[in-house]
Structures are given as structure tokens and as C-alpha cells.
Amino acid sequence: MGKGFISFLLTVGACTWIYGKFQRYSGNNTQQSLTAVGVAGVLIFIVSFVVLSLIL
């Protein structure tokens, strides 16, 4: 599998977990949760892609 696909799968898993945490924390405020997950998702994807590029 390519490093882009692995980074994508890691990002999807992390964003799902973060979304659940923010939904509980914010009292089911979907807009706030989606904004936080979007920002976190971009950062997680970039970091994981760079780390995998260094390893592979």
C-alpha cells in the first residue's frame, strides 16, 4: 500500500475518534465538532505522510 493511502486510513480512524470525543464534550454541537475534526484531519494527514515518507 502507498504511503498516501496509509496516511488516509490513519486520518479517518483518528478523525472518527476525535469526532466522538468532541460530540460528547460539546454537547452534540455538530458544527463545532466538524470544524475541529477538519482541522485535525488535515494536520494528522500531513504529519503521518511526512513520517511515512521518512521511514519508507
Side-chain angles (χ1 to χ4, degrees):
M1 287 193 287
K3 53 191 165 200
F5 186 65
I6 295 171
S7 297
F8 175 73
L9 290 178
L10 179 68
T11 302
V12 168
C15 284
T16 302
W17 181 78
I18 292 170
Y19 180 76
K21 291 291 182 182
F22 270 105
Q23 282 292 86
R24 254 185 269 140
Y25 175 74
S26 69
N28 291 331
N29 186 349
T30 304
Q31 184 177 4
Q32 180 182 5
S33 297
L34 288 177
T35 302
V37 167
V39 171
V42 169
L43 292 174
I44 291 169
F45 181 81
I46 291 171
V47 168
S48 64
F49 189 81
V50 168
V51 168
L52 286 172
S53 294
L54 294 173
I55 293 173
L56 303 174

